[in-house]
């Protein structure tokens, strides 16, 4: 009986010890879980912080002189004071040359090329206008101390006329006595041909310039000598034509430079297009840069002549233009 009681007591003690260990371990686990839960961040307790970065905006200013429109070429027309401009597409030529002048067919060929550059076809008949040219020449002699007798005098006499609807609408003449100069660097013979430059300005270039304005004179420049200062100032149509050509071919700035010395005020509408030539955005080769530098000098000289001002760069010129246009 006593052994039974001791066994029961021993069993209860062992059960009590087992229950206490289990509770202690469970309590440790619960504490660890609570500690972990207390320090773990949650979206509700700690809001997420996000930073929005906007890339910087770059503003590029397009130079206004790079977007200038081509003003377009005016129509090719005969400028007749009596009836106004007359649009033509065909013209007849009647050229006669005498001794000491280049053959008439050579003169006619040069004029034909000029008219072709203007878009005018030279035909034998059925034309809208006729250009007639007749010319004779002779030489006069003089005795020079170093070389003796030389035929340096160049006498020329001739006439050019424009006929429209069987009526003479314009006449240009030359009657040059051809007195020999006091000195000479050459000694031509009596039969040497008289140079074209001795008569072409009066009988070809001036008539073409008065018939077709700047277009006529500029087209003639490739075949005849042009004395621009004797042609008078440009008309608005001339300025439009040159501006259009210059916007496509910067080398045409040469004519703007010439005209700026003759009538600078008339060229004011051309200023923006001259400013455009102060900057080269397509120069890649050394040849490109050489052409640009040449044209840039011409453009700058023309701008200074037209405006009476002098600025370093295109933006300064453009500011002047905006204030004075």
């Amino acid at each position: 009986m006593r052994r039974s009681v001791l066994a029961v007591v021993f069993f209860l003690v062992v059960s009590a010890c087992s229950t206490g260990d289990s509770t202690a371990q469970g309590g440790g686990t619960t504490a660890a879980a609570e500690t972990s839960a207390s320090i773990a961040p949650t979206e509700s307790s700690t809001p997420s912080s996000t930073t929005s970065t906007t890339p910087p905006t770059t503003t590029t200013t397009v130079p206004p002189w790079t977007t200038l429109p081509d003003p377009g070429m005016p129509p090719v027309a005969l400028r007749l004071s009596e009836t106004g401009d007359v649009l033509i597409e065909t013209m007849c030529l009647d050229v006669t040359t005498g001794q000491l002048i280049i053959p008439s067919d050579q003169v006619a060929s040069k004029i034909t090329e000029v008219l072709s550059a203007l878009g005018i076809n030279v035909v034998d008949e059925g034309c809208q206008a006729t250009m007639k040219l007749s010319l004779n020449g002779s030489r006069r002699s003089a005795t020079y101390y170093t070389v003796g007798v030389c035929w340096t005098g160049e006498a020329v006499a001739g006439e050019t006329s424009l006929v429209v609807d069987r009526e003479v609408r314009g006449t240009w003449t030359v009657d040059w006595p051809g007195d020999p100069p006091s000195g000479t660097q050459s000694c031509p013979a009596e039969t040497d041909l008289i140079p074209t430059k001795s008569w072409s300005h009066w009988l070809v270039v001036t008539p073409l310039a008065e018939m077709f304005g700047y277009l006529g004179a500029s087209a003639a420049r490739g075949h005849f000598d042009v004395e621009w200062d004797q042609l008078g100032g440009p008309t608005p149509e001339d300025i439009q034509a040159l501006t259009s050509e210059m916007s496509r071919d910067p080398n045409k700035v040469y004519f703007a430079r010439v005209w700026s010395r003759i009538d600078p005020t008339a060229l004011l509408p051309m200023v923006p297009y001259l400013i455009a030539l102060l900057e080269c955005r397509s120069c890649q080769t050394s040849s490109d840069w050489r052409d640009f530098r040449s044209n840039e000098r011409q453009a700058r000289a023309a701008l200074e002549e037209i405006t009476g001002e002098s600025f370093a760069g295109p933006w300064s010129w453009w500011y002047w233009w905006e204030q004075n246009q």
Side-chain angles (χ1 to χ4, degrees):
M1 182 68 177
R2 184 176 179 178
R3 287 181 179 178
S4 299
V5 172
L6 289 174
V8 171
V9 173
F10 179 77
F11 176 79
L12 293 173
V13 172
V14 172
S15 298
C17 290
S18 298
T19 303
D21 291 342
S22 177
T23 305
Q25 291 175 1
T29 303
T30 303
E34 290 175 355
T35 303
S36 176
S38 65
I39 64 174
T42 61
E43 291 183 0
S44 59
S45 61
T46 306
S48 175
S49 176
T50 58
T51 303
S52 177
T53 304
T54 303
T57 302
T58 302
T59 301
T60 302
T61 301
V62 178
W65 56 84
T66 64
T67 57
L68 295 171
D70 183 341
M73 294 292 288
V76 177
L78 284 173
R79 300 180 179 181
L80 304 177
S81 57
E82 298 87 353
T83 59
D85 293 354
V86 177
L87 299 179
I88 68 167
E89 297 178 350
T90 59
M91 180 175 281
C92 296
L93 288 180
D94 183 357
V95 180
T96 304
T97 59
Q99 294 181 348
L100 305 186
I101 305 296
I102 64 173
S104 58
D105 59 340
Q106 294 184 26
V107 177
S109 177
K110 289 177 178 288
I111 297 176
T112 297
E113 291 184 21
V114 173
L115 294 173
S116 177
L118 296 173
I120 299 173
N121 295 319
V122 174
V123 296
D124 295 330
E125 58 184 12
C127 48
Q128 296 167 287
T130 300
M131 181 177 177
K132 295 184 176 182
L133 184 154
S134 61
L135 176 65
N136 284 291
S138 62
R139 284 192 174 275
R140 298 178 61 185
S141 65
T143 302
Y144 298 93
Y145 177 75
T146 55
V147 292
V149 177
C150 298
W151 295 82
T152 52
E154 300 168 352
V156 292
E159 178 181 283
T160 295
S161 60
L162 172 66
V163 179
V164 179
D165 294 332
R166 299 183 180 181
E167 294 184 13
V168 177
R169 299 297 185 90
T171 302
W172 300 265
T173 62
V174 61
D175 189 2
W176 187 251
D179 296 330
S182 57
T184 183
Q185 295 181 343
S186 62
C187 188
E190 183 179 6
T191 56
D192 285 353
L193 292 178
I194 295 175
T196 303
K197 65 180 181 180
S198 298
W199 52 266
S200 61
H201 178 78
W202 292 275
L203 296 182
V204 179
V205 176
T206 298
L208 288 172
E210 295 187 12
M211 289 180 196
F212 303 105
Y214 154 78
L215 292 176
S218 64
R221 181 173 177 262
H223 305 279
F224 302 97
D225 292 332
V226 179
E227 299 180 30
W228 291 98
D229 57 345
Q230 298 187 28
L231 295 179
T235 66
E237 291 79 13
D238 294 333
I239 294 171
Q240 178 185 343
L242 176 55
T243 302
S244 179
E245 286 192 330
M246 197 169 61
S247 68
R248 290 175 279 108
D249 180 4
N251 293 326
K252 297 292 185 179
V253 70
Y254 162 81
F255 297 109
R257 176 70 183 105
V258 172
W259 283 359
S260 70
R261 294 193 293 257
I262 299 173
D263 191 356
T265 304
L267 269 63
L268 189 62
M270 197 181 290
V271 165
Y273 295 85
L274 292 170
I275 294 174
L277 298 182
L278 301 180
E279 184 179 54
C280 185
R281 290 176 168 261
S282 60
C283 290
Q284 296 180 352
T285 66
S286 58
S287 178
D288 292 338
W289 281 107
R290 282 195 300 271
D291 292 342
F292 162 67
R293 292 302 180 194
S294 175
N295 293 331
E296 187 265 348
R297 286 192 294 270
Q298 298 272 19
R300 186 176 297 278
L303 283 169
E304 292 176 353
E305 197 78 49
I306 295 168
T307 66
E309 302 287 350
S310 181
F311 300 109
W315 279 111
S316 298
W317 282 108
W318 193 264
Y319 177 78
W320 181 94
W321 167 247
E322 289 183 330
Q323 300 300 313
N324 292 274
Q325 63 178 310

